[in-house]
Amino acid sequence: MHKRSFAGPEEAQVRVRAIPGHGGRDMRRRVSRARRWVAVSVALGAVAVLAGCRGPDNGQNSLDPQGPAARTIDNLFVPVFLIATVIGIGVLAATVFVAIRYRSGAGRNENPKQIHGSTPLEIGWTIIPALILLVVAVFTIRTVFDLAREPEGDVLQVTSVGKQWWWQFNYPDEEIVTANELVIPTETEVRVKLTACDDSLPGECNVIHSFWVPELAGKMDVIPGRDNATTIEADDPGTYLGQCAEYCGLSHANMRFRVIAKEPADYEQWVEEQQAPPAVPLQGGADDADPAGPAQALVLETYQCGNCHTFDNPGASTYGPNLAHFASRTTFASGYYELTRERLIEWLLDAPSLIPMETEDCREPGAPAVEGGTCVGMPSFTKDGPGPVMSQSDAEQIADYLLSLK
Ligand code: CUA
């Protein structure tokens, strides 16, 4: 390795001394001014970075726990963070103190007194950190077991299936399947089984995702072939934002969801509404008894919507989100867009232009089939390709039908 040569203290002093007249003093003034600028820049940078930490109530603040599991984590995080902060500041302060106190400079070019070996110090700085780590470990392990405990008694069971890029929520006892909005009763433990494999759709295993609702619980990975579970509970009614926390492809960052906590009575009412058949049954199919009726089924058939979605079975697992009570949701596209007619029409025509999806090129002639696993997500119906191109009036008709599915 090339050996770099640094000016030693003596050399540096010779150089300073070699500058004629008041040059040495000018340089020192320039150096101290530069230092001041560095200090001001660092302070401003720190303020800018820290300002990002305190946003408005963004609904994803793990430091603002809204349920027992998140509180358990917070009760571990805050003391450990404080201990780490005190130690961190101590180490930094000692480093800065030593650097300043023993720096080289005029009249201070001797090495400080050298000390070798001090039994009390050696024992002290071995035992004290070991004790601190032991205390932290005891509380950490207790928290880990606390969070892993399987809840008993009045527990709502839900299965969450991670898909690219949305979440399916199955309520096995209630026989409800919904998407992207997990509705739960307040002050009730909800056991969420997390799976990447949809048991109702044979061979349908997805990639790894991670289920995270920062204000309600910690992250839990969703892994194909291994079922995980987590417990969430909300103290108060409200909407808690969730996010996929494991990179899972193009639209990972858009794979959001919501936990909507309702008072138990409101939750019961929601369950009844979800269990009911859709307000507007699907009409106009090829074998519909009344061919003069609305022609939604024919339109949906044209674009093969039923290959991935269901419109009239609120209890069915599907390749795309179950749409039987679509209009009861506040958002669509995994919580990315507010549910409005305008946006929905845009989505029906060309979804990959709103959220990056692997289906963007799937209508190119000779594109791989969906079964091949390379076409994930809603296709675009505006591009020329093997399938039909969707007209504006068809998109409007489908949107109006979907918005009637309360
Ligand atoms: Cu799913 Cu990232």
Side-chain angles (χ1 to χ4, degrees):
M1 219 183 104
H2 180 70
K3 202 174 167 221
R4 298 171 71 184
S5 73
F6 288 100
E10 283 90 347
E11 231 178 296
Q13 214 172 30
V14 168
R15 229 184 285 151
V16 170
R17 231 182 271 133
I19 296 169
H22 300 295
R25 203 182 297 155
D26 279 354
M27 187 184 241
R28 273 198 293 274
R29 206 175 291 151
R30 227 175 294 144
V31 166
S32 78
R33 206 178 298 151
R35 273 189 198 149
R36 211 173 299 150
W37 276 114
V38 169
V40 168
S41 310
V42 168
L44 286 177
V47 168
V49 168
L50 290 173
C53 300
R54 177 74 196 108
D57 208 1
N58 68 6
Q60 286 194 323
N61 185 356
S62 59
L63 300 176
D64 182 22
Q66 299 291 325
R71 213 154 26 240
T72 304
I73 295 171
D74 198 54
N75 288 344
L76 175 70
F77 174 80
V78 170
V80 171
F81 180 74
L82 290 178
I83 293 170
T85 304
V86 169
I87 294 172
I89 289 175
V91 169
L92 269 178
T95 308
V96 171
F97 169 77
V98 169
I100 292 172
R101 174 75 179 75
Y102 298 107
R103 74 190 188 281
S104 67
R108 271 199 307 259
N109 293 322
E110 299 301 318
N111 276 336
K113 192 183 153 206
Q114 301 296 300
I115 305 164
H116 287 283
S118 161
T119 312
L121 270 182
E122 298 276 359
I123 291 176
W125 66 45
T126 305
I127 286 185
I128 293 172
L131 283 178
I132 294 172
L133 287 178
L134 189 71
V135 171
V136 170
V138 166
F139 285 101
T140 304
I141 291 167
R142 208 181 69 174
T143 304
V144 167
F145 278 92
D146 223 18
L147 291 172
R149 179 185 59 85
E150 174 112 34
E152 288 162 5
D154 187 18
V155 179
L156 171 64
Q157 302 285 345
V158 177
T159 299
S160 172
V161 191
K163 308 218 183 191
Q164 273 164 316
W165 293 271
W166 60 284
W167 299 88
Q168 178 172 284
F169 300 118
N170 299 35
Y171 296 67
D173 297 334
E174 290 76 9
E175 294 181 8
I176 296 171
V177 175
T178 183
N180 303 323
E181 291 185 4
L182 174 57
V183 179
I184 62 169
T186 53
E187 295 186 67
T188 305
E189 285 181 300
V190 182
R191 188 65 168 169
V192 186
K193 187 178 136 192
L194 298 164
T195 176
C197 298
D198 195 334
D199 293 339
S200 323
L201 303 170
E204 179 65 4
C205 274
N206 215 271
V207 300
I208 302 178
H209 303 274
S210 188
F211 180 94
W212 192 28
V213 193
E215 293 184 353
L216 297 184
K219 287 175 197 167
M220 185 63 80
D221 276 4
V222 183
I223 302 169
R226 187 202 149 89
D227 286 351
N228 280 339
T230 185
T231 304
I232 59 171
E233 180 182 338
D235 302 330
D236 299 307
T239 298
Y240 305 94
L241 299 187
Q243 169 71 46
C244 178
E246 176 64 51
Y247 182 70
C248 54
L250 274 183
S251 263
H252 154 71
N254 308 321
M255 192 172 161
R256 306 169 183 182
F257 61 103
R258 274 142 215 265
V259 174
I260 299 175
K262 293 176 184 281
E263 296 284 0
D266 296 339
Y267 168 75
E268 290 303 330
Q269 195 192 331
W270 176 84
V271 169
E272 271 173 40
E273 287 164 7
Q274 296 291 311
Q275 286 169 331
V280 182
L282 192 58
Q283 286 177 317
D287 43 43
D288 197 289
D290 176 17
Q296 300 118 355
L298 276 178
V299 179
L300 296 171
E301 230 165 75
T302 305
Y303 304 104
Q304 299 180 13
C305 306
N307 283 2
C308 296
H309 300 282
T310 181
F311 304 90
D312 48 8
N313 184 351
S317 276
T318 36
Y319 288 96
N322 184 319
L323 301 176
H325 290 285
F326 175 70
S328 71
R329 299 175 203 150
T330 56
T331 59
F332 74 106
S334 207
Y336 194 84
Y337 290 108
E338 297 288 327
L339 183 49
T340 65
R341 182 175 187 269
E342 200 185 1
R343 190 63 91 187
L344 189 56
I345 291 169
E346 218 179 309
W347 177 265
L348 288 163
L349 289 167
D350 190 12
S353 69
L354 296 187
I355 277 182
M357 286 191 276
E358 281 153 10
T359 39
E360 195 173 3
D361 299 318
C362 279
R363 283 174 61 84
E364 301 297 335
V370 175
E371 290 77 32
T374 42
C375 287
V376 178
M378 274 275 286
S380 163
F381 286 105
T382 55
K383 284 185 182 171
D384 277 335
V389 172
M390 191 182 286
S391 65
Q392 179 74 20
S393 66
D394 279 359
E396 286 173 9
Q397 195 183 343
I398 296 173
D400 288 335
Y401 174 60
L402 291 175
L403 291 171
S404 71
L405 301 176
K406 301 274 187 210

